[in-house]
Amino acid sequence: MLIVGVLGVIIIYGGFLYLFFSDRSTAALPWFLLISPWICVYFGLTHVQQVAVIQWFSKKFTFKNNAK
């Protein structure tokens, strides 16, 4: 699953960047097309790595008010 995800990232993002930089419309591409290979990468990781990814995301996107 990890290999499929990495290949998906390369192929899908390569195609997206090709369309983007060749001034062709990317409006027809749904947003989940760019996210789907990352799901394959996530499920290709070991359980420990998956937990570490979730913890990293929760730390990265948790905003705390430091003003007291």
Side-chain angles (χ1 to χ4, degrees):
M1 199 68 153
L2 185 61
I3 294 170
V4 170
V6 170
L7 288 175
V9 167
I10 292 168
I11 292 168
I12 290 173
Y13 279 77
F16 176 78
L17 291 174
Y18 170 76
L19 291 174
F20 185 74
F21 289 118
S22 65
D23 291 331
R24 296 190 176 134
S25 176
T26 58
L29 298 174
W31 63 270
F32 55 84
L33 183 71
L34 297 174
I35 294 175
S36 60
W38 292 109
I39 295 170
C40 291
V41 168
Y42 174 77
F43 284 109
L45 299 174
T46 65
H47 179 69
V48 174
Q49 291 170 327
Q50 288 176 354
V51 171
V53 167
I54 297 296
Q55 289 175 347
W56 181 83
F57 271 114
S58 67
K59 287 179 187 175
K60 184 79 173 169
F61 296 110
T62 302
F63 302 104
K64 295 180 182 176
N65 189 1
N66 290 333
K68 291 185 179 180

